[in-house]
Amino acid sequence: MSALILPGLMVLLFSRVTYNRVIGLVLTVALIAASAYKGYTNTFLLVVIDAFSLTAGFWLAAKMMPRALKKAND
């Protein structure tokens, strides 16, 4: 269940902190790659769920960023 929610939330968090959704995605993918290297991601289904969550988070970050940039400029 956490594989469905947490990667998307991490993309949103990193995008909000860096004001760049691509950097947020790259940082999240790096964290997931590190956990996969350590052996925590062991099934293909888990990789697919992570990828879906990353995609959803990236899409939500694209929707969120114009509002965050407008708020930062005010």
Side-chain angles (χ1 to χ4, degrees):
M1 186 60 131
S2 65
L4 189 59
I5 298 169
L6 290 179
L9 289 177
M10 286 192 316
V11 170
L12 289 174
L13 173 74
F14 290 144
S15 297
R16 178 74 176 172
V17 169
T18 63
Y19 292 104
N20 190 335
R21 65 185 175 126
V22 175
I23 292 175
L25 180 69
V26 169
L27 289 172
T28 306
V29 168
L31 284 174
I32 290 174
S35 71
Y37 179 73
K38 287 296 225 177
Y40 297 119
T41 306
N42 52 3
T43 63
F44 183 71
L45 181 61
L46 193 56
V47 172
V48 170
I49 292 171
D50 281 340
F52 174 75
S53 181
L54 286 170
T55 304
F58 190 71
W59 178 76
L60 285 172
K63 297 291 183 184
M64 177 188 74
M65 287 308 295
R67 287 185 284 168
L69 290 174
K70 182 181 176 189
K71 194 178 220 182
N73 289 334
D74 288 342

Short mmCIF file of all heavy atoms in Angstrom, two decimals:
data_model
loop_
_atom_site.label_atom_id
_atom_site.label_comp_id
_atom_site.label_asym_id
_atom_site.label_seq_id
_atom_site.Cartn_x
_atom_site.Cartn_y
_atom_site.Cartn_z
N MET A 1 0.82 -1.18 0.00
CA MET A 1 0.00 0.00 0.00
C MET A 1 0.87 1.26 0.00
O MET A 1 0.55 2.24 -0.65
CB MET A 1 -0.92 -0.02 1.23
CG MET A 1 -1.90 1.09 1.23
SD MET A 1 -2.95 1.05 -0.20
CE MET A 1 -4.51 1.21 0.52
N SER A 2 1.98 1.22 0.74
CA SER A 2 2.84 2.41 0.79
C SER A 2 3.54 2.65 -0.54
O SER A 2 3.87 3.79 -0.86
CB SER A 2 3.87 2.28 1.92
OG SER A 2 4.75 1.22 1.67
N ALA A 3 3.74 1.60 -1.34
CA ALA A 3 4.35 1.77 -2.66
C ALA A 3 3.43 2.52 -3.59
O ALA A 3 3.88 3.15 -4.55
CB ALA A 3 4.71 0.42 -3.26
N LEU A 4 2.16 2.50 -3.31
CA LEU A 4 1.19 3.21 -4.14
C LEU A 4 1.10 4.69 -3.79
O LEU A 4 0.81 5.52 -4.65
CB LEU A 4 -0.19 2.56 -3.99
CG LEU A 4 -1.29 3.00 -4.92
CD1 LEU A 4 -0.88 2.75 -6.37
CD2 LEU A 4 -2.56 2.26 -4.61
N ILE A 5 1.42 5.04 -2.56
CA ILE A 5 1.23 6.41 -2.10
C ILE A 5 2.53 7.19 -1.93
O ILE A 5 2.65 8.33 -2.38
CB ILE A 5 0.43 6.41 -0.78
CG1 ILE A 5 -0.95 5.79 -1.00
CG2 ILE A 5 0.31 7.80 -0.20
CD1 ILE A 5 -1.70 5.50 0.26
N LEU A 6 3.51 6.59 -1.27
CA LEU A 6 4.71 7.33 -0.87
C LEU A 6 5.56 7.88 -2.02
O LEU A 6 6.02 9.02 -1.93
CB LEU A 6 5.55 6.48 0.07
CG LEU A 6 4.94 6.26 1.45
CD1 LEU A 6 5.83 5.40 2.30
CD2 LEU A 6 4.65 7.57 2.13
N PRO A 7 5.81 7.14 -3.10
CA PRO A 7 6.61 7.75 -4.17
C PRO A 7 5.97 9.00 -4.77
O PRO A 7 6.65 9.98 -5.05
CB PRO A 7 6.74 6.64 -5.22
CG PRO A 7 6.61 5.39 -4.43
CD PRO A 7 5.62 5.71 -3.36
N GLY A 8 4.68 8.98 -4.93
CA GLY A 8 3.99 10.17 -5.44
C GLY A 8 4.08 11.34 -4.49
O GLY A 8 4.28 12.48 -4.91
N LEU A 9 3.94 11.06 -3.19
CA LEU A 9 4.08 12.13 -2.21
C LEU A 9 5.50 12.68 -2.16
O LEU A 9 5.70 13.87 -1.96
CB LEU A 9 3.66 11.63 -0.83
CG LEU A 9 2.17 11.39 -0.63
CD1 LEU A 9 1.91 10.83 0.77
CD2 LEU A 9 1.38 12.65 -0.84
N MET A 10 6.48 11.81 -2.34
CA MET A 10 7.87 12.27 -2.35
C MET A 10 8.14 13.17 -3.54
O MET A 10 8.86 14.17 -3.42
CB MET A 10 8.84 11.09 -2.34
CG MET A 10 8.91 10.40 -0.99
SD MET A 10 10.25 9.22 -0.78
CE MET A 10 10.25 8.29 -2.27
N VAL A 11 7.57 12.83 -4.70
CA VAL A 11 7.72 13.70 -5.87
C VAL A 11 7.12 15.07 -5.58
O VAL A 11 7.71 16.10 -5.88
CB VAL A 11 7.08 13.06 -7.13
CG1 VAL A 11 7.03 14.06 -8.27
CG2 VAL A 11 7.84 11.82 -7.56
N LEU A 12 5.94 15.08 -4.98
CA LEU A 12 5.30 16.36 -4.64
C LEU A 12 6.13 17.14 -3.64
O LEU A 12 6.31 18.36 -3.79
CB LEU A 12 3.90 16.11 -4.08
CG LEU A 12 2.85 15.64 -5.07
CD1 LEU A 12 1.56 15.31 -4.34
CD2 LEU A 12 2.62 16.67 -6.14
N LEU A 13 6.66 16.47 -2.63
CA LEU A 13 7.46 17.15 -1.62
C LEU A 13 8.74 17.73 -2.22
O LEU A 13 9.05 18.91 -2.02
CB LEU A 13 7.82 16.19 -0.49
CG LEU A 13 8.80 16.73 0.55
CD1 LEU A 13 8.09 17.74 1.43
CD2 LEU A 13 9.40 15.62 1.35
N PHE A 14 9.47 16.92 -2.96
CA PHE A 14 10.72 17.41 -3.56
C PHE A 14 10.46 18.48 -4.60
O PHE A 14 11.24 19.41 -4.75
CB PHE A 14 11.52 16.26 -4.17
CG PHE A 14 12.12 15.33 -3.16
CD1 PHE A 14 12.19 13.97 -3.41
CD2 PHE A 14 12.61 15.79 -1.96
CE1 PHE A 14 12.77 13.11 -2.50
CE2 PHE A 14 13.18 14.94 -1.03
CZ PHE A 14 13.25 13.60 -1.29
N SER A 15 9.35 18.38 -5.33
CA SER A 15 9.01 19.41 -6.30
C SER A 15 8.67 20.72 -5.61
O SER A 15 9.03 21.80 -6.09
CB SER A 15 7.81 18.98 -7.15
OG SER A 15 8.12 17.84 -7.90
N ARG A 16 8.02 20.63 -4.50
CA ARG A 16 7.65 21.83 -3.75
C ARG A 16 8.90 22.49 -3.15
O ARG A 16 9.02 23.71 -3.16
CB ARG A 16 6.66 21.44 -2.65
CG ARG A 16 6.23 22.55 -1.78
CD ARG A 16 5.30 23.45 -2.50
NE ARG A 16 4.84 24.47 -1.54
CZ ARG A 16 4.14 25.49 -1.86
NH1 ARG A 16 3.77 25.68 -3.10
NH2 ARG A 16 3.78 26.35 -0.96
N VAL A 17 9.83 21.69 -2.67
CA VAL A 17 11.03 22.23 -2.03
C VAL A 17 11.98 22.85 -3.06
O VAL A 17 12.54 23.92 -2.84
CB VAL A 17 11.75 21.13 -1.22
CG1 VAL A 17 13.13 21.57 -0.77
CG2 VAL A 17 10.90 20.72 -0.03
N THR A 18 12.13 22.18 -4.22
CA THR A 18 13.09 22.65 -5.22
C THR A 18 12.46 23.56 -6.26
O THR A 18 13.20 24.15 -7.06
CB THR A 18 13.74 21.46 -5.95
OG1 THR A 18 12.73 20.73 -6.66
CG2 THR A 18 14.47 20.56 -4.99
N TYR A 19 11.15 23.68 -6.29
CA TYR A 19 10.42 24.46 -7.31
C TYR A 19 10.69 23.96 -8.73
O TYR A 19 10.66 24.73 -9.68
CB TYR A 19 10.74 25.96 -7.23
CG TYR A 19 10.21 26.60 -5.98
CD1 TYR A 19 11.04 26.91 -4.93
CD2 TYR A 19 8.85 26.87 -5.87
CE1 TYR A 19 10.54 27.49 -3.77
CE2 TYR A 19 8.34 27.45 -4.71
CZ TYR A 19 9.20 27.76 -3.68
OH TYR A 19 8.70 28.32 -2.54
N ASN A 20 10.99 22.66 -8.85
CA ASN A 20 11.24 22.06 -10.16
C ASN A 20 10.75 20.62 -10.09
O ASN A 20 11.28 19.81 -9.33
CB ASN A 20 12.72 22.11 -10.50
CG ASN A 20 12.99 21.73 -11.93
OD1 ASN A 20 12.21 21.01 -12.55
ND2 ASN A 20 14.10 22.21 -12.46
N ARG A 21 9.74 20.29 -10.90
CA ARG A 21 9.17 18.95 -10.82
C ARG A 21 10.09 17.88 -11.37
O ARG A 21 10.04 16.75 -10.93
CB ARG A 21 7.81 18.91 -11.50
CG ARG A 21 7.84 19.16 -12.97
CD ARG A 21 6.45 19.23 -13.54
NE ARG A 21 6.52 19.59 -14.93
CZ ARG A 21 5.96 18.89 -15.89
NH1 ARG A 21 5.23 17.85 -15.59
NH2 ARG A 21 6.08 19.27 -17.14
N VAL A 22 10.96 18.21 -12.32
CA VAL A 22 11.88 17.23 -12.87
C VAL A 22 12.92 16.83 -11.82
O VAL A 22 13.25 15.66 -11.65
CB VAL A 22 12.56 17.76 -14.16
CG1 VAL A 22 13.60 16.79 -14.66
CG2 VAL A 22 11.51 18.02 -15.23
N ILE A 23 13.43 17.81 -11.09
CA ILE A 23 14.39 17.51 -10.02
C ILE A 23 13.71 16.69 -8.93
O ILE A 23 14.31 15.75 -8.38
CB ILE A 23 15.01 18.81 -9.46
CG1 ILE A 23 15.89 19.44 -10.53
CG2 ILE A 23 15.82 18.53 -8.21
CD1 ILE A 23 16.46 20.78 -10.14
N GLY A 24 12.47 17.00 -8.62
CA GLY A 24 11.73 16.20 -7.65
C GLY A 24 11.58 14.76 -8.09
O GLY A 24 11.73 13.83 -7.29
N LEU A 25 11.30 14.56 -9.37
CA LEU A 25 11.19 13.21 -9.90
C LEU A 25 12.53 12.49 -9.85
O LEU A 25 12.61 11.33 -9.45
CB LEU A 25 10.65 13.25 -11.33
CG LEU A 25 10.48 11.90 -12.02
CD1 LEU A 25 9.35 11.11 -11.36
CD2 LEU A 25 10.20 12.08 -13.50
N VAL A 26 13.60 13.18 -10.24
CA VAL A 26 14.93 12.55 -10.25
C VAL A 26 15.36 12.16 -8.84
O VAL A 26 15.90 11.07 -8.62
CB VAL A 26 15.96 13.50 -10.91
CG1 VAL A 26 17.37 13.02 -10.70
CG2 VAL A 26 15.66 13.63 -12.40
N LEU A 27 15.12 13.03 -7.87
CA LEU A 27 15.48 12.70 -6.49
C LEU A 27 14.69 11.49 -5.97
O LEU A 27 15.25 10.62 -5.29
CB LEU A 27 15.24 13.91 -5.58
CG LEU A 27 16.20 15.07 -5.74
CD1 LEU A 27 15.72 16.26 -4.92
CD2 LEU A 27 17.60 14.67 -5.33
N THR A 28 13.43 11.43 -6.30
CA THR A 28 12.61 10.30 -5.87
C THR A 28 13.05 9.01 -6.55
O THR A 28 13.14 7.96 -5.90
CB THR A 28 11.13 10.57 -6.16
OG1 THR A 28 10.77 11.82 -5.58
CG2 THR A 28 10.25 9.48 -5.61
N VAL A 29 13.34 9.06 -7.84
CA VAL A 29 13.82 7.87 -8.55
C VAL A 29 15.15 7.41 -7.97
O VAL A 29 15.40 6.21 -7.82
CB VAL A 29 13.92 8.13 -10.07
CG1 VAL A 29 14.66 7.03 -10.78
CG2 VAL A 29 12.53 8.29 -10.66
N ALA A 30 16.01 8.36 -7.59
CA ALA A 30 17.30 7.99 -6.98
C ALA A 30 17.09 7.27 -5.65
O ALA A 30 17.78 6.28 -5.36
CB ALA A 30 18.15 9.24 -6.79
N LEU A 31 16.13 7.73 -4.85
CA LEU A 31 15.85 7.05 -3.59
C LEU A 31 15.28 5.65 -3.82
O LEU A 31 15.64 4.70 -3.12
CB LEU A 31 14.88 7.88 -2.76
CG LEU A 31 15.46 9.10 -2.07
CD1 LEU A 31 14.35 9.89 -1.41
CD2 LEU A 31 16.49 8.68 -1.04
N ILE A 32 14.41 5.51 -4.79
CA ILE A 32 13.84 4.20 -5.09
C ILE A 32 14.91 3.27 -5.66
O ILE A 32 14.94 2.08 -5.34
CB ILE A 32 12.63 4.33 -6.02
CG1 ILE A 32 11.48 4.99 -5.27
CG2 ILE A 32 12.19 2.98 -6.57
CD1 ILE A 32 10.29 5.32 -6.11
N ALA A 33 15.80 3.81 -6.49
CA ALA A 33 16.88 2.99 -7.04
C ALA A 33 17.82 2.52 -5.93
O ALA A 33 18.29 1.37 -5.95
CB ALA A 33 17.65 3.77 -8.09
N ALA A 34 18.09 3.38 -4.96
CA ALA A 34 18.94 2.98 -3.84
C ALA A 34 18.27 1.88 -3.01
O ALA A 34 18.94 0.93 -2.58
CB ALA A 34 19.25 4.19 -2.97
N SER A 35 16.97 1.99 -2.81
CA SER A 35 16.28 0.94 -2.05
C SER A 35 16.21 -0.36 -2.85
O SER A 35 16.30 -1.45 -2.27
CB SER A 35 14.88 1.39 -1.65
OG SER A 35 14.03 1.46 -2.77
N ALA A 36 16.09 -0.27 -4.15
CA ALA A 36 16.11 -1.48 -4.98
C ALA A 36 17.49 -2.12 -4.97
O ALA A 36 17.61 -3.35 -4.94
CB ALA A 36 15.70 -1.15 -6.41
N TYR A 37 18.53 -1.31 -4.96
CA TYR A 37 19.91 -1.82 -4.89
C TYR A 37 20.15 -2.55 -3.58
O TYR A 37 20.84 -3.56 -3.54
CB TYR A 37 20.89 -0.66 -5.05
CG TYR A 37 22.33 -1.07 -4.97
CD1 TYR A 37 22.93 -1.78 -6.01
CD2 TYR A 37 23.09 -0.77 -3.85
CE1 TYR A 37 24.24 -2.17 -5.94
CE2 TYR A 37 24.40 -1.15 -3.76
CZ TYR A 37 24.98 -1.85 -4.81
OH TYR A 37 26.29 -2.23 -4.72
N LYS A 38 19.55 -2.03 -2.50
CA LYS A 38 19.69 -2.67 -1.19
C LYS A 38 18.84 -3.93 -1.07
O LYS A 38 18.99 -4.68 -0.12
CB LYS A 38 19.31 -1.71 -0.08
CG LYS A 38 20.31 -0.63 0.15
CD LYS A 38 21.60 -1.23 0.63
CE LYS A 38 22.15 -0.46 1.77
NZ LYS A 38 23.34 -1.05 2.30
N GLY A 39 17.92 -4.15 -2.00
CA GLY A 39 17.12 -5.37 -2.00
C GLY A 39 15.73 -5.23 -1.45
O GLY A 39 15.06 -6.23 -1.21
N TYR A 40 15.25 -4.03 -1.24
CA TYR A 40 13.90 -3.84 -0.69
C TYR A 40 12.82 -3.95 -1.75
O TYR A 40 11.66 -4.17 -1.42
CB TYR A 40 13.79 -2.49 0.01
CG TYR A 40 14.71 -2.37 1.19
CD1 TYR A 40 15.69 -1.40 1.23
CD2 TYR A 40 14.61 -3.23 2.27
CE1 TYR A 40 16.55 -1.27 2.31
CE2 TYR A 40 15.46 -3.13 3.35
CZ TYR A 40 16.43 -2.15 3.36
OH TYR A 40 17.27 -2.04 4.42
N THR A 41 13.16 -3.78 -3.01
CA THR A 41 12.21 -3.93 -4.11
C THR A 41 12.52 -5.24 -4.80
O THR A 41 13.48 -5.34 -5.55
CB THR A 41 12.34 -2.77 -5.10
OG1 THR A 41 12.21 -1.55 -4.38
CG2 THR A 41 11.27 -2.83 -6.16
N ASN A 42 11.72 -6.26 -4.54
CA ASN A 42 12.09 -7.58 -5.03
C ASN A 42 11.09 -8.20 -6.01
O ASN A 42 11.35 -9.27 -6.52
CB ASN A 42 12.30 -8.54 -3.85
CG ASN A 42 11.13 -8.55 -2.89
OD1 ASN A 42 10.13 -7.90 -3.13
ND2 ASN A 42 11.26 -9.29 -1.82
N THR A 43 9.99 -7.53 -6.29
CA THR A 43 9.04 -8.10 -7.26
C THR A 43 8.79 -7.09 -8.37
O THR A 43 8.89 -5.88 -8.18
CB THR A 43 7.70 -8.44 -6.58
OG1 THR A 43 7.10 -7.25 -6.10
CG2 THR A 43 7.89 -9.43 -5.44
N PHE A 44 8.45 -7.60 -9.52
CA PHE A 44 8.16 -6.75 -10.67
C PHE A 44 6.90 -5.94 -10.44
O PHE A 44 6.80 -4.78 -10.85
CB PHE A 44 8.03 -7.60 -11.94
CG PHE A 44 7.80 -6.79 -13.17
CD1 PHE A 44 8.81 -6.01 -13.70
CD2 PHE A 44 6.56 -6.77 -13.78
CE1 PHE A 44 8.60 -5.24 -14.82
CE2 PHE A 44 6.34 -6.01 -14.91
CZ PHE A 44 7.36 -5.24 -15.44
N LEU A 45 5.92 -6.52 -9.75
CA LEU A 45 4.68 -5.80 -9.46
C LEU A 45 4.95 -4.57 -8.61
O LEU A 45 4.35 -3.51 -8.84
CB LEU A 45 3.69 -6.72 -8.75
CG LEU A 45 2.34 -6.10 -8.41
CD1 LEU A 45 1.61 -5.66 -9.67
CD2 LEU A 45 1.51 -7.08 -7.61
N LEU A 46 5.86 -4.67 -7.68
CA LEU A 46 6.21 -3.52 -6.85
C LEU A 46 6.86 -2.41 -7.66
O LEU A 46 6.60 -1.24 -7.44
CB LEU A 46 7.14 -3.96 -5.72
CG LEU A 46 7.38 -3.00 -4.58
CD1 LEU A 46 6.06 -2.57 -3.95
CD2 LEU A 46 8.28 -3.64 -3.55
N VAL A 47 7.66 -2.77 -8.64
CA VAL A 47 8.29 -1.79 -9.53
C VAL A 47 7.22 -1.09 -10.37
O VAL A 47 7.27 0.13 -10.55
CB VAL A 47 9.34 -2.46 -10.43
CG1 VAL A 47 9.86 -1.50 -11.47
CG2 VAL A 47 10.49 -3.00 -9.58
N VAL A 48 6.25 -1.83 -10.85
CA VAL A 48 5.17 -1.25 -11.65
C VAL A 48 4.32 -0.30 -10.80
O VAL A 48 3.96 0.79 -11.24
CB VAL A 48 4.29 -2.37 -12.27
CG1 VAL A 48 3.03 -1.81 -12.89
CG2 VAL A 48 5.10 -3.16 -13.28
N ILE A 49 4.03 -0.69 -9.56
CA ILE A 49 3.25 0.17 -8.67
C ILE A 49 4.02 1.45 -8.37
O ILE A 49 3.46 2.55 -8.36
CB ILE A 49 2.87 -0.58 -7.39
CG1 ILE A 49 1.88 -1.69 -7.71
CG2 ILE A 49 2.29 0.35 -6.34
CD1 ILE A 49 1.60 -2.63 -6.56
N ASP A 50 5.33 1.34 -8.11
CA ASP A 50 6.17 2.52 -7.90
C ASP A 50 6.16 3.44 -9.11
O ASP A 50 6.07 4.65 -8.97
CB ASP A 50 7.61 2.12 -7.57
CG ASP A 50 7.80 1.67 -6.15
OD1 ASP A 50 6.95 2.00 -5.30
OD2 ASP A 50 8.81 1.00 -5.87
N ALA A 51 6.26 2.86 -10.29
CA ALA A 51 6.26 3.66 -11.51
C ALA A 51 4.93 4.37 -11.70
O ALA A 51 4.90 5.55 -12.10
CB ALA A 51 6.56 2.77 -12.72
N PHE A 52 3.84 3.71 -11.40
CA PHE A 52 2.53 4.35 -11.49
C PHE A 52 2.42 5.52 -10.51
O PHE A 52 1.94 6.60 -10.85
CB PHE A 52 1.41 3.33 -11.22
CG PHE A 52 0.05 3.95 -11.16
CD1 PHE A 52 -0.59 4.37 -12.31
CD2 PHE A 52 -0.58 4.14 -9.93
CE1 PHE A 52 -1.84 4.96 -12.25
CE2 PHE A 52 -1.83 4.73 -9.87
CZ PHE A 52 -2.46 5.13 -11.02
N SER A 53 2.89 5.30 -9.29
CA SER A 53 2.84 6.35 -8.29
C SER A 53 3.73 7.53 -8.66
O SER A 53 3.37 8.69 -8.45
CB SER A 53 3.24 5.80 -6.93
OG SER A 53 3.19 6.79 -5.94
N LEU A 54 4.91 7.25 -9.22
CA LEU A 54 5.79 8.32 -9.69
C LEU A 54 5.13 9.14 -10.79
O LEU A 54 5.22 10.37 -10.80
CB LEU A 54 7.11 7.74 -10.18
CG LEU A 54 8.08 7.24 -9.13
CD1 LEU A 54 9.21 6.49 -9.79
CD2 LEU A 54 8.60 8.37 -8.30
N THR A 55 4.48 8.45 -11.70
CA THR A 55 3.79 9.14 -12.79
C THR A 55 2.66 10.02 -12.26
O THR A 55 2.51 11.17 -12.69
CB THR A 55 3.24 8.12 -13.80
OG1 THR A 55 4.31 7.29 -14.26
CG2 THR A 55 2.58 8.80 -14.98
N ALA A 56 1.89 9.49 -11.33
CA ALA A 56 0.80 10.27 -10.75
C ALA A 56 1.35 11.47 -9.97
O ALA A 56 0.81 12.58 -10.06
CB ALA A 56 -0.04 9.39 -9.83
N GLY A 57 2.43 11.27 -9.23
CA GLY A 57 3.03 12.38 -8.50
C GLY A 57 3.59 13.44 -9.42
O GLY A 57 3.50 14.64 -9.15
N PHE A 58 4.20 13.01 -10.53
CA PHE A 58 4.74 13.96 -11.50
C PHE A 58 3.62 14.77 -12.13
O PHE A 58 3.75 15.98 -12.33
CB PHE A 58 5.52 13.19 -12.57
CG PHE A 58 6.33 14.05 -13.49
CD1 PHE A 58 7.46 14.70 -13.05
CD2 PHE A 58 5.96 14.19 -14.82
CE1 PHE A 58 8.21 15.49 -13.90
CE2 PHE A 58 6.70 14.97 -15.68
CZ PHE A 58 7.83 15.62 -15.21
N TRP A 59 2.51 14.13 -12.44
CA TRP A 59 1.35 14.82 -13.01
C TRP A 59 0.77 15.82 -12.01
O TRP A 59 0.44 16.96 -12.36
CB TRP A 59 0.31 13.80 -13.44
CG TRP A 59 -0.92 14.42 -14.00
CD1 TRP A 59 -1.06 14.96 -15.24
CD2 TRP A 59 -2.18 14.58 -13.34
NE1 TRP A 59 -2.35 15.44 -15.39
CE2 TRP A 59 -3.03 15.22 -14.24
CE3 TRP A 59 -2.65 14.24 -12.08
CZ2 TRP A 59 -4.35 15.52 -13.91
CZ3 TRP A 59 -3.96 14.54 -11.76
CH2 TRP A 59 -4.78 15.18 -12.67
N LEU A 60 0.64 15.39 -10.75
CA LEU A 60 0.12 16.30 -9.73
C LEU A 60 1.07 17.46 -9.48
O LEU A 60 0.63 18.59 -9.22
CB LEU A 60 -0.13 15.55 -8.43
CG LEU A 60 -1.36 14.66 -8.41
CD1 LEU A 60 -1.39 13.81 -7.14
CD2 LEU A 60 -2.62 15.48 -8.54
N ALA A 61 2.37 17.21 -9.56
CA ALA A 61 3.34 18.29 -9.39
C ALA A 61 3.22 19.30 -10.52
O ALA A 61 3.39 20.50 -10.30
CB ALA A 61 4.76 17.72 -9.34
N ALA A 62 2.93 18.82 -11.72
CA ALA A 62 2.73 19.73 -12.85
C ALA A 62 1.50 20.62 -12.61
O ALA A 62 1.50 21.79 -12.98
CB ALA A 62 2.57 18.94 -14.14
N LYS A 63 0.48 20.07 -11.99
CA LYS A 63 -0.72 20.85 -11.68
C LYS A 63 -0.48 21.80 -10.52
O LYS A 63 -1.06 22.88 -10.46
CB LYS A 63 -1.89 19.92 -11.34
CG LYS A 63 -2.32 19.03 -12.46
CD LYS A 63 -2.96 19.86 -13.54
CE LYS A 63 -3.46 18.95 -14.63
NZ LYS A 63 -4.00 19.70 -15.74
N MET A 64 0.39 21.42 -9.58
CA MET A 64 0.61 22.19 -8.38
C MET A 64 1.61 23.33 -8.59
O MET A 64 1.49 24.39 -7.98
CB MET A 64 1.15 21.27 -7.28
CG MET A 64 1.50 21.95 -5.99
SD MET A 64 2.33 20.86 -4.84
CE MET A 64 3.94 20.76 -5.57
N MET A 65 2.60 23.14 -9.44
CA MET A 65 3.70 24.09 -9.54
C MET A 65 3.30 25.50 -9.99
O MET A 65 3.82 26.46 -9.44
CB MET A 65 4.80 23.54 -10.46
CG MET A 65 5.59 22.41 -9.84
SD MET A 65 6.25 22.79 -8.21
CE MET A 65 7.39 24.07 -8.58
N PRO A 66 2.39 25.70 -10.93
CA PRO A 66 2.02 27.08 -11.27
C PRO A 66 1.45 27.86 -10.08
O PRO A 66 1.76 29.03 -9.90
CB PRO A 66 0.98 26.93 -12.37
CG PRO A 66 1.26 25.62 -12.99
CD PRO A 66 1.76 24.76 -11.86
N ARG A 67 0.67 27.19 -9.25
CA ARG A 67 0.14 27.85 -8.06
C ARG A 67 1.24 28.16 -7.06
O ARG A 67 1.25 29.22 -6.44
CB ARG A 67 -0.93 26.98 -7.40
CG ARG A 67 -2.23 26.97 -8.19
CD ARG A 67 -3.28 26.22 -7.46
NE ARG A 67 -2.95 24.79 -7.63
CZ ARG A 67 -3.51 23.82 -6.95
NH1 ARG A 67 -4.39 24.08 -6.03
NH2 ARG A 67 -3.18 22.58 -7.18
N ALA A 68 2.20 27.24 -6.90
CA ALA A 68 3.29 27.45 -5.94
C ALA A 68 4.20 28.58 -6.41
O ALA A 68 4.64 29.40 -5.61
CB ALA A 68 4.07 26.15 -5.77
N LEU A 69 4.47 28.64 -7.71
CA LEU A 69 5.32 29.70 -8.23
C LEU A 69 4.62 31.06 -8.11
O LEU A 69 5.26 32.07 -7.81
CB LEU A 69 5.71 29.41 -9.67
CG LEU A 69 6.69 28.26 -9.87
CD1 LEU A 69 6.88 27.99 -11.36
CD2 LEU A 69 8.02 28.55 -9.21
N LYS A 70 3.33 31.09 -8.37
CA LYS A 70 2.57 32.34 -8.26
C LYS A 70 2.57 32.82 -6.81
O LYS A 70 2.75 34.00 -6.53
CB LYS A 70 1.15 32.14 -8.75
CG LYS A 70 0.32 33.39 -8.70
CD LYS A 70 -1.09 33.13 -9.19
CE LYS A 70 -1.91 34.39 -9.02
NZ LYS A 70 -3.31 34.15 -9.27
N LYS A 71 2.41 31.88 -5.88
CA LYS A 71 2.39 32.22 -4.47
C LYS A 71 3.76 32.72 -4.01
O LYS A 71 3.86 33.63 -3.20
CB LYS A 71 1.97 31.00 -3.65
CG LYS A 71 1.61 31.30 -2.24
CD LYS A 71 1.17 30.02 -1.56
CE LYS A 71 0.00 30.28 -0.66
NZ LYS A 71 -0.43 29.09 0.05
N ALA A 72 4.84 32.14 -4.54
CA ALA A 72 6.19 32.54 -4.16
C ALA A 72 6.53 33.92 -4.71
O ALA A 72 7.31 34.66 -4.09
CB ALA A 72 7.20 31.52 -4.66
N ASN A 73 5.98 34.28 -5.86
CA ASN A 73 6.27 35.58 -6.46
C ASN A 73 5.48 36.72 -5.83
O ASN A 73 5.83 37.88 -6.00
CB ASN A 73 6.01 35.55 -7.97
CG ASN A 73 7.04 34.72 -8.69
OD1 ASN A 73 8.17 34.56 -8.23
ND2 ASN A 73 6.65 34.16 -9.82
N ASP A 74 4.40 36.39 -5.15
CA ASP A 74 3.59 37.46 -4.52
C ASP A 74 4.20 37.99 -3.25
O ASP A 74 5.02 37.66 -2.62
CB ASP A 74 2.19 36.94 -4.20
CG ASP A 74 1.37 36.75 -5.48
OD1 ASP A 74 1.76 37.34 -6.51
OD2 ASP A 74 0.36 36.04 -5.41
#
